[in-house]
Coordinates of all heavy atoms in Angstrom, one line a residue:
M56 N -15.9 -5.1 -33.7 CA -15.7 -3.7 -33.7 C -17.0 -3.0 -34.4 O -17.4 -3.5 -35.4 CB -14.4 -3.3 -34.6 CG -13.9 -2.0 -34.5 SD -12.4 -1.6 -35.3 CE -12.1 -2.9 -36.3
G57 N -17.4 -1.9 -33.9 CA -18.5 -1.3 -34.4 C -18.3 -0.6 -35.7 O -17.1 -0.5 -36.2
E58 N -19.3 -0.1 -36.3 CA -19.2 0.6 -37.7 C -18.3 2.0 -37.5 O -17.5 2.2 -38.3 CB -20.5 0.9 -38.1 CG -20.6 1.0 -39.7 CD -22.0 1.1 -40.1 OE1 -22.9 0.3 -40.0 OE2 -22.2 2.4 -40.7
K59 N -18.6 2.6 -36.5 CA -17.9 3.9 -36.3 C -16.4 3.6 -36.0 O -15.6 4.4 -36.7 CB -18.4 4.5 -35.0 CG -18.2 6.1 -34.8 CD -19.0 6.5 -33.6 CE -18.1 7.7 -33.0 NZ -18.5 7.9 -31.7
A60 N -16.1 2.7 -35.3 CA -14.7 2.2 -35.1 C -14.0 1.8 -36.4 O -12.9 2.2 -36.7 CB -14.6 1.2 -34.0
A61 N -14.7 1.0 -37.2 CA -14.1 0.5 -38.4 C -13.9 1.7 -39.4 O -12.9 1.6 -40.1 CB -15.1 -0.4 -39.0
R62 N -14.8 2.6 -39.4 CA -14.6 3.8 -40.2 C -13.3 4.6 -39.8 O -12.5 5.0 -40.7 CB -15.7 4.8 -40.1 CG -16.8 4.6 -41.4 CD -17.6 5.8 -41.6 NE -18.2 6.3 -40.4 CZ -19.4 5.9 -39.9 NH1 -20.1 5.1 -40.6 NH2 -19.9 6.4 -38.8
L63 N -13.2 4.8 -38.5 CA -11.9 5.4 -38.1 C -10.6 4.6 -38.4 O -9.7 5.3 -38.8 CB -12.0 5.7 -36.6 CG -10.9 6.5 -35.9 CD1 -10.9 8.0 -36.6 CD2 -11.1 6.7 -34.4
V64 N -10.8 3.5 -38.2 CA -9.5 2.5 -38.7 C -9.2 2.8 -40.1 O -8.1 3.0 -40.5 CB -9.8 1.1 -38.3 CG1 -8.7 0.1 -38.9 CG2 -9.9 0.8 -36.8
E65 N -10.2 2.8 -41.0 CA -10.0 3.0 -42.4 C -9.4 4.4 -42.7 O -8.5 4.4 -43.4 CB -11.3 2.9 -43.3 CG -11.8 1.4 -43.4 CD -10.7 0.7 -43.9 OE1 -10.0 1.0 -45.0 OE2 -10.4 -0.6 -43.3
E66 N -9.9 5.4 -41.9 CA -9.3 6.7 -42.0 C -7.9 6.7 -41.6 O -7.0 7.4 -42.3 CB -10.1 7.6 -41.1 CG -10.1 9.1 -41.4 CD -11.1 9.8 -40.5 OE1 -12.3 9.7 -40.4 OE2 -10.5 10.6 -39.6
Y67 N -7.6 6.1 -40.6 CA -6.2 6.1 -40.1 C -5.2 5.4 -41.0 O -4.1 5.6 -41.1 CB -6.0 5.6 -38.6 CG -6.4 6.5 -37.6 CD1 -7.1 6.2 -36.4 CD2 -6.3 7.9 -37.8 CE1 -7.4 7.1 -35.4 CE2 -6.6 8.8 -36.9 CZ -7.3 8.5 -35.6 OH -7.5 9.3 -34.7
K68 N -5.7 4.2 -41.6 CA -5.0 3.5 -42.5 C -4.6 4.4 -43.7 O -3.5 4.4 -44.2 CB -5.9 2.3 -43.0 CG -5.6 0.9 -42.3 CD -6.2 -0.2 -43.0 CE -6.4 -1.3 -42.1 NZ -7.4 -2.3 -42.5
R69 N -5.6 5.0 -44.2 CA -5.4 6.0 -45.4 C -4.4 7.1 -45.0 O -3.4 7.3 -45.7 CB -6.7 6.6 -45.7 CG -6.9 6.8 -47.1 CD -8.2 7.3 -47.7 NE -9.0 8.0 -46.7 CZ -10.2 7.5 -46.3 NH1 -10.7 6.4 -46.6 NH2 -10.9 8.2 -45.3
Y70 N -4.5 7.6 -43.9 CA -3.7 8.6 -43.3 C -2.2 8.0 -43.3 O -1.3 8.7 -43.6 CB -4.0 9.1 -42.0 CG -3.0 10.0 -41.3 CD1 -3.1 11.4 -41.7 CD2 -2.3 9.6 -40.2 CE1 -2.1 12.3 -41.1 CE2 -1.3 10.4 -39.7 CZ -1.2 11.8 -40.1 OH -0.3 12.6 -39.6
A71 N -2.1 6.8 -42.7 CA -0.7 6.3 -42.6 C -0.1 6.0 -44.0 O 1.1 6.3 -44.2 CB -1.0 4.8 -41.8
K72 N -0.9 5.5 -44.8 CA -0.4 5.2 -46.2 C 0.2 6.5 -46.9 O 1.1 6.5 -47.4 CB -1.5 4.6 -47.1 CG -1.0 3.8 -48.1 CD -2.1 3.0 -48.9 CE -1.6 2.5 -50.2 NZ -2.7 2.2 -51.1
E73 N -0.7 7.6 -46.7 CA -0.4 8.9 -47.3 C 1.0 9.3 -46.8 O 1.7 10.1 -47.3 CB -1.4 10.0 -47.1 CG -2.6 10.0 -47.9 CD -3.7 10.6 -47.3 OE1 -3.5 11.6 -46.5 OE2 -4.8 10.5 -47.8
N74 N 1.3 9.0 -45.5 CA 2.5 9.4 -44.9 C 3.6 8.4 -44.8 O 4.6 8.7 -44.1 CB 2.2 10.0 -43.4 CG 1.4 11.3 -43.5 OD1 1.9 12.4 -43.6 ND2 0.0 11.2 -43.4
R75 N 3.4 7.4 -45.6 CA 4.5 6.3 -45.6 C 4.8 5.6 -44.4 O 6.0 5.3 -44.1 CB 5.7 6.8 -46.4 CG 5.4 7.2 -47.8 CD 6.6 7.1 -48.7 NE 6.4 7.9 -49.8 CZ 6.9 9.1 -50.0 NH1 7.4 9.8 -49.0 NH2 6.6 9.8 -51.2
F76 N 3.8 5.5 -43.5 CA 4.0 4.5 -42.4 C 2.8 3.7 -42.3 O 2.0 3.7 -43.3 CB 4.3 5.2 -41.0 CG 3.5 6.5 -40.7 CD1 2.3 6.5 -40.2 CD2 4.0 7.7 -40.8 CE1 1.6 7.6 -39.9 CE2 3.4 9.0 -40.5 CZ 2.2 8.8 -40.0
S77 N 2.6 2.8 -41.3 CA 1.5 2.0 -41.3 C 0.8 1.9 -40.0 O 1.3 2.2 -39.0 CB 1.9 0.6 -41.9 OG 2.9 0.1 -41.2
L78 N -0.3 1.2 -40.0 CA -1.0 0.9 -38.8 C -0.4 -0.3 -38.2 O -0.1 -1.2 -38.9 CB -2.5 0.7 -39.1 CG -3.6 1.3 -38.2 CD1 -3.3 2.8 -38.0 CD2 -5.0 1.1 -38.8
N79 N -0.4 -0.4 -36.9 CA -0.1 -1.6 -36.2 C -0.7 -2.9 -36.7 O -2.0 -2.8 -36.8 CB -0.3 -1.4 -34.7 CG 0.4 -2.5 -33.9 OD1 0.5 -3.7 -34.3 ND2 0.9 -2.1 -32.6
P80 N 0.0 -3.9 -37.1 CA -0.8 -5.0 -37.6 C -1.5 -5.8 -36.6 O -2.5 -6.6 -37.0 CB 0.5 -5.9 -38.2 CG 1.6 -5.4 -37.5 CD 1.4 -4.0 -37.1
S81 N -1.3 -5.5 -35.4 CA -2.2 -6.1 -34.3 C -3.5 -5.5 -34.1 O -3.7 -4.4 -33.8 CB -1.4 -6.1 -32.9 OG -2.4 -6.3 -32.0
K82 N -4.5 -6.3 -34.6 CA -5.9 -5.7 -34.5 C -6.4 -5.4 -33.1 O -7.0 -4.3 -32.8 CB -6.8 -6.8 -35.0 CG -8.1 -6.3 -35.8 CD -9.0 -7.3 -36.3 CE -10.3 -6.9 -36.5 NZ -11.3 -7.9 -36.7
K83 N -5.8 -6.2 -32.1 CA -6.1 -6.1 -30.7 C -5.6 -4.7 -30.1 O -6.3 -4.0 -29.4 CB -5.4 -7.2 -29.9 CG -6.2 -7.5 -28.7 CD -5.5 -8.8 -28.0 CE -5.7 -8.5 -26.5 NZ -4.9 -9.6 -25.8
I84 N -4.3 -4.4 -30.5 CA -3.8 -3.1 -30.1 C -4.5 -1.9 -30.7 O -4.9 -0.9 -30.1 CB -2.3 -3.0 -30.3 CG1 -1.6 -3.9 -29.5 CG2 -1.7 -1.5 -30.2 CD1 -0.2 -4.0 -29.5
V85 N -4.8 -2.0 -32.1 CA -5.5 -1.0 -32.7 C -6.9 -0.7 -32.1 O -7.3 0.4 -31.9 CB -5.6 -1.4 -34.3 CG1 -6.5 -0.3 -35.0 CG2 -4.2 -1.3 -35.0
E86 N -7.5 -1.8 -31.9 CA -8.8 -1.7 -31.3 C -8.8 -1.1 -29.9 O -9.7 -0.3 -29.5 CB -9.5 -3.1 -31.0 CG -10.2 -3.5 -32.3 CD -11.0 -4.8 -32.3 OE1 -11.3 -5.3 -31.2 OE2 -11.2 -5.5 -33.3
G87 N -7.8 -1.4 -29.1 CA -7.6 -0.8 -27.8 C -7.4 0.7 -27.8 O -8.1 1.4 -27.1
V88 N -6.6 1.1 -28.8 CA -6.4 2.5 -28.9 C -7.6 3.3 -29.4 O -8.0 4.3 -28.9 CB -5.2 2.8 -30.0 CG1 -5.1 4.3 -30.1 CG2 -3.9 2.3 -29.5
I89 N -8.2 2.7 -30.4 CA -9.5 3.3 -30.9 C -10.5 3.4 -29.8 O -11.3 4.4 -29.7 CB -10.1 2.4 -32.1 CG1 -9.0 2.4 -33.3 CG2 -11.5 2.9 -32.6 CD1 -9.0 3.5 -34.1
T90 N -10.7 2.3 -29.0 CA -11.6 2.4 -27.8 C -11.3 3.6 -26.9 O -12.2 4.4 -26.5 CB -11.6 1.0 -27.0 OG1 -11.9 0.1 -28.0 CG2 -12.6 1.0 -25.9
G91 N -10.0 3.7 -26.7 CA -9.6 4.9 -25.8 C -9.8 6.2 -26.4 O -10.1 7.1 -25.7
L92 N -9.7 6.3 -27.7 CA -10.0 7.6 -28.3 C -11.4 7.9 -28.2 O -11.8 9.0 -28.0 CB -9.5 7.4 -29.9 CG -8.0 7.5 -30.2 CD1 -7.7 7.1 -31.6 CD2 -7.5 8.8 -29.9
F93 N -12.3 6.9 -28.4 CA -13.7 7.2 -28.5 C -14.2 7.5 -26.9 O -15.0 8.4 -26.7 CB -14.6 6.0 -28.9 CG -14.6 6.0 -30.5 CD1 -14.5 4.8 -31.1 CD2 -14.7 7.1 -31.2 CE1 -14.7 4.7 -32.4 CE2 -14.8 7.1 -32.6 CZ -14.7 5.9 -33.2
E94 N -13.4 6.9 -25.9 CA -13.8 7.2 -24.5 C -13.4 8.6 -24.1 O -14.1 9.4 -23.6 CB -13.0 6.3 -23.6 CG -13.8 5.0 -23.3 CD -13.0 4.0 -22.6 OE1 -11.9 4.3 -22.1 OE2 -13.4 2.9 -22.7
N95 N -12.2 9.1 -24.8 CA -11.9 10.5 -24.5 C -12.8 11.4 -25.2 O -13.1 12.5 -24.7 CB -10.5 10.7 -25.1 CG -9.5 10.3 -24.0 OD1 -9.8 10.3 -22.7 ND2 -8.2 10.2 -24.4
E96 N -13.3 11.0 -26.5 CA -14.2 11.8 -27.1 C -15.6 12.1 -26.3 O -16.0 13.2 -26.3 CB -14.4 11.3 -28.6 CG -15.3 12.3 -29.4 CD -15.5 11.7 -30.8 OE1 -15.8 10.4 -30.9 OE2 -15.4 12.5 -31.8
K97 N -16.0 11.0 -25.7 CA -17.1 11.1 -24.9 C -16.9 11.9 -23.7 O -17.8 12.7 -23.4 CB -17.5 9.6 -24.6 CG -19.0 9.5 -24.4 CD -19.4 7.9 -24.7 CE -20.0 7.4 -23.4 NZ -20.2 5.9 -23.6
R98 N -15.8 11.6 -23.1 CA -15.5 12.3 -21.8 C -15.0 13.8 -22.0 O -15.5 14.6 -21.1 CB -14.4 11.5 -21.1 CG -14.5 11.6 -19.6 CD -13.5 10.7 -18.9 NE -13.8 9.4 -19.2 CZ -12.8 8.3 -19.1 NH1 -11.6 8.7 -18.8 NH2 -13.2 7.1 -19.3
H99 N -14.2 14.0 -23.1 CA -13.5 15.4 -23.2 C -13.9 16.1 -24.4 O -13.5 17.1 -24.6 CB -12.1 15.2 -22.9 CG -11.6 14.5 -21.7 ND1 -11.6 15.0 -20.5 CD2 -11.1 13.2 -21.6 CE1 -11.1 14.2 -19.6 NE2 -10.7 13.1 -20.3
G100 N -14.7 15.5 -25.2 CA -15.1 16.2 -26.5 C -14.2 16.0 -27.7 O -14.6 16.5 -28.8
E101 N -13.1 15.5 -27.5 CA -12.1 15.3 -28.7 C -11.5 13.9 -28.5 O -11.4 13.4 -27.4 CB -11.0 16.4 -28.7 CG -11.5 17.8 -29.0 CD -11.8 18.1 -30.4 OE1 -11.7 17.2 -31.2 OE2 -12.4 19.2 -30.5
K102 N -11.0 13.5 -29.7 CA -10.1 12.2 -29.8 C -8.7 12.4 -29.2 O -7.8 12.3 -29.9 CB -10.2 11.6 -31.1 CG -11.6 11.0 -31.4 CD -11.5 10.3 -32.9 CE -12.9 10.2 -33.5 NZ -13.5 11.5 -33.9
Y103 N -8.6 12.6 -27.9 CA -7.4 12.7 -27.3 C -6.7 11.5 -27.2 O -7.3 10.4 -27.0 CB -7.5 13.5 -25.9 CG -8.0 14.9 -26.0 CD1 -9.3 15.2 -25.4 CD2 -7.4 15.9 -26.6 CE1 -9.7 16.6 -25.3 CE2 -7.8 17.3 -26.7 CZ -9.1 17.5 -26.1 OH -9.6 18.7 -26.1
C104 N -5.3 11.6 -27.2 CA -4.5 10.4 -27.1 C -4.8 9.6 -25.8 O -4.8 10.2 -24.9 CB -3.0 10.8 -27.3 SG -2.0 9.4 -27.3
P105 N -5.1 8.3 -26.0 CA -5.3 7.6 -24.7 C -4.2 7.2 -23.9 O -4.1 6.8 -22.8 CB -6.1 6.4 -25.2 CG -5.7 6.2 -26.6 CD -5.4 7.6 -27.2
C106 N -3.0 7.6 -24.5 CA -1.7 7.2 -23.8 C -1.0 8.5 -23.2 O 0.2 8.4 -22.8 CB -0.7 6.6 -24.9 SG -1.5 5.3 -25.8
R107 N -1.8 9.6 -23.2 CA -1.2 10.8 -22.6 C -2.2 11.4 -21.7 O -3.4 11.1 -21.8 CB -0.9 11.8 -23.7 CG 0.1 11.1 -24.8 CD 0.5 12.3 -26.0 NE 1.1 11.7 -27.1 CZ 2.3 11.5 -27.2 NH1 3.2 11.8 -26.4 NH2 2.8 10.9 -28.3
M108 N -1.8 12.4 -20.9 CA -2.6 13.0 -20.0 C -3.4 14.3 -20.6 O -2.8 15.1 -21.3 CB -1.8 13.7 -18.7 CG -1.4 12.6 -17.8 SD -2.7 12.0 -16.8 CE -2.8 13.3 -15.7
V109 N -4.7 14.2 -20.4 CA -5.4 15.4 -20.9 C -5.4 16.4 -19.7 O -5.6 16.0 -18.5 CB -6.9 14.8 -21.1 CG1 -7.8 16.2 -21.4 CG2 -7.0 13.8 -22.2
T110 N -4.9 17.5 -20.0 CA -4.8 18.6 -18.9 C -6.0 19.3 -18.6 O -6.1 19.9 -17.5 CB -3.5 19.6 -19.3 OG1 -4.2 20.3 -20.4 CG2 -2.4 18.9 -19.8
G111 N -6.9 19.4 -19.5 CA -8.2 20.3 -19.2 C -7.9 21.6 -19.9 O -8.9 22.4 -20.0
K112 N -6.7 21.8 -20.3 CA -6.4 23.3 -21.0 C -6.5 23.0 -22.4 O -5.8 22.2 -23.0 CB -5.0 23.8 -20.6 CG -4.9 24.1 -19.2 CD -3.5 24.5 -18.8 CE -3.2 24.4 -17.3 NZ -2.0 23.7 -17.0
K113 N -7.5 23.6 -23.1 CA -7.8 23.5 -24.5 C -6.5 23.5 -25.4 O -6.4 22.7 -26.3 CB -8.9 24.3 -25.0 CG -10.3 23.8 -24.6 CD -11.2 23.6 -26.0 CE -12.0 22.4 -25.8 NZ -13.3 22.3 -25.6
E114 N -5.9 24.6 -25.2 CA -4.8 24.9 -26.1 C -3.6 23.9 -26.1 O -3.1 23.5 -27.0 CB -4.1 26.4 -25.8 CG -4.8 27.5 -26.6 CD -4.9 27.4 -28.0 OE1 -3.8 27.1 -28.7 OE2 -6.2 27.4 -28.5
E115 N -3.4 23.5 -24.8 CA -2.4 22.4 -24.6 C -2.9 21.2 -25.1 O -2.1 20.4 -25.7 CB -2.2 22.4 -23.0 CG -1.1 21.6 -22.5 CD 0.3 22.1 -23.0 OE1 0.5 23.4 -23.3 OE2 1.2 21.4 -23.2
D116 N -4.1 20.8 -24.8 CA -4.7 19.5 -25.3 C -4.9 19.4 -26.7 O -4.9 18.1 -27.2 CB -5.9 19.2 -24.5 CG -5.7 19.1 -23.0 OD1 -4.6 18.7 -22.6 OD2 -6.8 19.2 -22.2
K117 N -4.9 20.4 -27.4 CA -5.0 20.3 -28.9 C -3.8 19.5 -29.5 O -4.0 18.8 -30.6 CB -4.8 21.8 -29.6 CG -6.1 22.3 -30.3 CD -5.7 23.6 -30.9 CE -6.8 24.6 -30.8 NZ -6.4 25.9 -31.2
K118 N -2.7 19.6 -28.8 CA -1.5 18.9 -29.3 C -1.6 17.4 -29.3 O -1.0 16.7 -30.0 CB -0.3 19.2 -28.4 CG 0.1 20.6 -28.4 CD 1.2 20.9 -27.5 CE 1.5 22.4 -27.3 NZ 2.3 22.7 -26.1
I119 N -2.5 16.9 -28.5 CA -2.7 15.4 -28.4 C -4.0 14.9 -28.9 O -4.4 13.7 -28.6 CB -2.5 15.0 -26.9 CG1 -3.5 15.5 -26.0 CG2 -1.1 15.3 -26.4 CD1 -3.7 14.8 -24.5
I120 N -4.7 15.6 -29.9 CA -5.8 15.1 -30.5 C -5.2 14.3 -31.7 O -4.1 14.6 -32.4 CB -6.6 16.3 -31.2 CG1 -7.2 17.0 -30.2 CG2 -7.7 15.6 -32.1 CD1 -8.0 18.3 -30.7
C121 N -5.5 13.0 -31.7 CA -4.9 12.0 -32.5 C -5.4 12.3 -34.0 O -6.5 12.6 -34.4 CB -5.5 10.6 -32.3 SG -4.6 9.3 -33.1
P122 N -4.3 12.2 -34.9 CA -2.9 12.1 -34.7 C -2.2 13.3 -34.1 O -2.3 14.5 -34.6 CB -2.3 11.9 -36.2 CG -3.4 12.2 -37.1 CD -4.6 12.5 -36.4
C123 N -1.5 13.1 -33.0 CA -0.9 14.1 -32.2 C 0.2 14.8 -32.9 O 0.7 14.3 -33.9 CB -0.4 13.4 -30.8 SG 0.9 12.3 -31.1
I124 N 0.7 15.8 -32.3 CA 1.8 16.6 -32.9 C 3.2 15.7 -32.8 O 4.1 16.1 -33.4 CB 2.0 18.0 -32.3 CG1 2.4 17.9 -30.9 CG2 0.9 18.9 -32.6 CD1 3.1 19.2 -30.3
Y125 N 3.2 14.8 -31.9 CA 4.4 14.0 -31.7 C 4.6 12.8 -32.5 O 5.8 12.3 -32.6 CB 4.4 13.5 -30.2 CG 4.2 14.6 -29.2 CD1 2.9 14.7 -28.6 CD2 5.1 15.7 -29.0 CE1 2.6 15.7 -27.7 CE2 4.8 16.7 -28.0 CZ 3.6 16.8 -27.4 OH 3.3 17.7 -26.5
H126 N 3.6 12.2 -33.1 CA 3.7 10.9 -33.8 C 4.7 10.9 -34.8 O 5.5 9.7 -34.9 CB 2.3 10.3 -34.2 CG 1.8 11.1 -35.5 ND1 1.5 12.4 -35.6 CD2 1.6 10.6 -36.7 CE1 1.0 12.7 -36.7 NE2 1.1 11.6 -37.5
K127 N 5.0 11.8 -35.7 CA 5.9 11.6 -36.8 C 7.3 11.5 -36.3 O 8.1 10.6 -36.7 CB 5.8 12.8 -37.8 CG 4.5 12.6 -38.7 CD 4.3 13.7 -39.7 CE 3.1 13.4 -40.5 NZ 2.7 14.5 -41.4
K128 N 7.7 12.4 -35.2 CA 9.0 12.2 -34.7 C 9.2 11.0 -34.0 O 10.2 10.3 -34.1 CB 9.2 13.5 -33.7 CG 10.5 13.6 -33.2 CD 11.2 14.6 -34.1 CE 12.8 14.4 -33.9 NZ 13.6 14.9 -35.0
E129 N 8.1 10.5 -33.4 CA 8.2 9.2 -32.6 C 8.5 8.0 -33.5 O 9.2 7.1 -33.3 CB 7.0 9.0 -31.7 CG 7.0 9.9 -30.4 CD 5.6 10.0 -29.8 OE1 4.6 9.5 -30.3 OE2 5.6 10.4 -28.6
I130 N 7.6 8.1 -34.7 CA 7.8 7.0 -35.6 C 9.2 7.0 -36.1 O 9.8 5.9 -36.3 CB 6.8 7.1 -36.7 CG1 5.3 7.0 -36.1 CG2 6.9 6.1 -37.8 CD1 4.2 7.4 -37.1
E131 N 9.8 8.2 -36.4 CA 11.0 8.3 -37.0 C 12.2 7.8 -36.0 O 13.1 7.1 -36.3 CB 11.2 9.7 -37.3 CG 12.4 10.1 -38.2 CD 12.5 11.6 -38.3 OE1 11.7 12.3 -38.8 OE2 13.7 12.1 -38.0
T132 N 12.0 8.1 -34.8 CA 13.1 7.9 -33.8 C 12.9 6.5 -33.2 O 13.8 5.8 -32.9 CB 13.1 8.9 -32.7 OG1 11.9 9.1 -32.0 CG2 13.6 10.3 -33.3
Q133 N 11.6 6.1 -32.8 CA 11.4 4.9 -32.1 C 10.7 3.7 -32.9 O 10.5 2.7 -32.4 CB 10.9 5.0 -30.6 CG 9.6 5.9 -30.7 CD 9.1 6.3 -29.2 OE1 10.0 6.6 -28.4 NE2 7.9 6.5 -29.0
G134 N 10.4 4.1 -34.1 CA 9.7 3.1 -35.0 C 8.1 3.0 -34.8 O 7.5 2.4 -35.5
H135 N 7.6 3.7 -33.8 CA 6.1 3.7 -33.7 C 5.8 5.0 -32.8 O 6.6 5.5 -32.0 CB 5.6 2.4 -33.0 CG 6.4 2.1 -31.6 ND1 6.0 2.8 -30.5 CD2 7.3 1.4 -31.5 CE1 6.9 2.3 -29.5 NE2 7.7 1.5 -30.1
C136 N 4.5 5.2 -32.9 CA 4.1 6.3 -32.0 C 3.8 5.9 -30.6 O 3.9 4.7 -30.4 CB 2.8 7.0 -32.6 SG 1.3 6.1 -32.4
H137 N 3.6 6.8 -29.6 CA 3.6 6.4 -28.3 C 2.6 5.3 -28.0 O 3.0 4.4 -27.1 CB 3.3 7.7 -27.4 CG 3.4 7.6 -26.0 ND1 4.5 7.0 -25.3 CD2 2.6 7.9 -25.0 CE1 4.4 7.0 -24.0 NE2 3.2 7.6 -23.7
C138 N 1.5 5.3 -28.5 CA 0.5 4.3 -28.4 C 0.6 3.1 -29.1 O -0.2 2.2 -29.0 CB -0.9 4.9 -28.7 SG -1.7 6.1 -27.6
R139 N 1.6 3.1 -30.0 CA 1.9 2.0 -30.9 C 0.6 1.8 -31.9 O 0.3 0.6 -32.4 CB 1.9 0.7 -30.1 CG 3.3 0.7 -29.3 CD 3.6 -0.6 -28.5 NE 4.8 -0.5 -27.7 CZ 5.9 -0.9 -28.2 NH1 5.9 -1.6 -29.3 NH2 7.0 -0.8 -27.5
L140 N 0.0 2.8 -32.3 CA -1.0 2.8 -33.3 C -0.3 2.8 -34.7 O -0.6 2.0 -35.5 CB -2.0 4.0 -33.1 CG -3.1 4.1 -34.2 CD1 -4.1 2.9 -34.1 CD2 -3.9 5.3 -34.1
F141 N 0.6 3.8 -34.8 CA 1.2 3.9 -36.1 C 2.8 3.4 -36.0 O 3.4 3.6 -35.0 CB 1.3 5.4 -36.6 CG 0.0 6.0 -36.9 CD1 -0.5 7.1 -36.1 CD2 -0.8 5.5 -37.9 CE1 -1.8 7.7 -36.3 CE2 -2.0 6.2 -38.0 CZ -2.6 7.2 -37.3
F142 N 3.1 2.7 -37.1 CA 4.3 2.1 -37.1 C 5.1 2.6 -38.4 O 4.5 2.9 -39.4 CB 4.2 0.6 -37.2 CG 4.3 -0.1 -35.9 CD1 3.4 0.1 -34.9 CD2 5.5 -0.8 -35.4 CE1 3.4 -0.4 -33.6 CE2 5.6 -1.2 -34.0 CZ 4.5 -1.1 -33.2
R143 N 6.4 2.5 -38.4 CA 7.2 2.7 -39.5 C 7.0 1.8 -40.7 O 6.7 0.6 -40.4 CB 8.7 2.8 -39.2 CG 9.5 3.6 -40.2 CD 10.9 3.9 -39.8 NE 11.2 3.4 -38.5 CZ 12.2 3.6 -37.7 NH1 13.0 4.4 -37.9 NH2 12.5 3.1 -36.6
Ligands
SF4_232 S1 0.4 8.6 -29.8 FE1 -0.4 7.7 -31.5 S2 -2.4 7.1 -30.9 FE2 -1.7 8.7 -29.5 S3 -2.4 10.5 -30.4 FE3 -0.4 10.3 -31.1 S4 -0.8 9.3 -33.2 FE4 -2.6 9.0 -32.0

């Protein structure tokens, strides 16, 4: 994992801790999601969720910049966010 990716992982770990959930213990899954986020950033300019459709409409897509507007509810109801980055 590159330095930039490692920094983002640390950031998300901190974020998860602050919100009393955690990062997926699987390094492989975390790396996969992070790679997808960076790909979207390169392609679309923001770290859009790699597990959701980017519509191309800025206002709409704002909702899926990671951490998306859905993750807290998803963690609460299904135990993890859609991408399985964050876990209860
Ligand atoms: S589903 Fe998870 S990984 Fe995807 S944007 Fe939401 S919080 Fe991030």
